[in-house]
Amino acid sequence: MIDNILIQEISNTYIKNRGITAAVLRLDLLHPVVSGNKIYKLKYYIEKALYQEKEEIVSFGGAHSNHLAATAFMAKENGLKSIGYVRGERPPLFSDTLLDCEHYGMELKFTERKKFDALQIDCEESNKPGSLIIPYGGYGRIGALGAKEILSFKEAGNYNLIMASAGSGTMGAGLILSLQKH
């Protein structure tokens, strides 16, 4: 999934003068909709849904959640329905992200902020047999197993320090799972 085109070298005087080599892994260029780490974190959730012959994916996010948009796209591409629980009241005008979710066929359900955190637990406990729940942001072991593949390209061994932004911690868990001794 990764090739050299997606590894962008960073070069400036400060870095060069210190003998540092730095690069950015441009996961944002992998796919026009399912960008960044989402393609990895969703991979095994979608495979599980298809293997278990689920009819729909249920997930959670905010009004600007690229996770919901990516989930909606991946569900549609794989012939699955999708439901997205959105934190907060229905806005008078949808964000571009929510418009994308609708475009990809996701049914949006808006939930009061104070009830949102408990909603995921309620959905997991009362899960319908035909649904697969993907936690907020692709959180969990399944998402981490997908994120583990982020460092599977051969050049990853050329780096001795890897930095990544963090949200739910799922990508970080996957990266840690994939680290080699060096």
Side-chain angles (χ1 to χ4, degrees):
M1 200 175 294
I2 301 289
D3 60 32
N4 287 331
I5 296 169
L6 300 176
I7 301 171
Q8 182 179 346
E9 295 290 326
I10 300 172
S11 182
N12 64 37
T13 306
Y14 181 85
I15 290 173
K16 280 183 182 178
N17 290 343
R18 284 157 183 78
I20 297 170
T21 302
V24 174
L25 182 59
R26 296 293 307 272
L27 297 179
D28 60 314
L29 300 176
L30 285 175
H31 192 277
V33 178
V34 189
S35 66
N37 63 20
K38 302 300 181 232
I39 199 163
Y40 294 96
K41 292 192 328 184
L42 291 171
K43 177 182 177 180
Y44 292 116
Y45 281 111
I46 297 297
E47 284 184 12
K48 180 179 179 179
L50 295 172
Y51 178 78
Q52 293 180 348
E53 299 180 350
K54 302 292 185 179
E55 297 169 11
E56 68 184 12
I57 298 289
V58 177
S59 199
F60 310 83
H64 301 278
S65 171
N66 60 357
H67 166 73
L68 284 182
T71 301
F73 180 88
M74 298 257 318
K76 181 178 181 179
E77 287 292 299
N78 287 281
L80 300 164
K81 297 176 190 173
S82 60
I83 297 173
Y85 285 95
V86 183
R87 182 180 54 243
E89 283 70 32
R90 182 184 186 92
L93 295 173
F94 277 13
S95 66
D96 288 341
T97 306
L98 292 179
L99 291 172
D100 286 346
C101 289
E102 278 194 331
H103 175 75
Y104 300 126
M106 180 174 269
E107 178 185 348
L108 299 173
K109 297 185 178 191
F110 296 86
T111 307
E112 293 178 41
R113 290 179 185 275
K114 62 184 176 185
K115 295 180 180 178
F116 184 80
D117 291 336
L119 174 66
Q120 184 170 301
I121 295 167
D122 291 344
C123 284
E124 288 171 351
E125 289 175 355
S126 63
N127 188 24
K128 298 184 290 184
S131 299
L132 178 80
I133 297 199
I134 300 177
Y136 185 81
Y139 177 77
R141 181 178 177 274
I142 295 172
L145 289 175
K148 178 181 177 183
E149 296 179 10
I150 291 171
L151 294 179
S152 64
F153 61 102
K154 68 178 181 174
E155 294 87 354
N158 296 341
Y159 300 93
N160 59 12
L161 178 64
I162 295 171
M163 296 184 291
S165 57
S168 67
T170 301
M171 184 180 71
L175 294 177
I176 288 169
L177 287 171
S178 69
L179 290 179
Q180 302 297 315
K181 287 183 179 182
H182 67 280

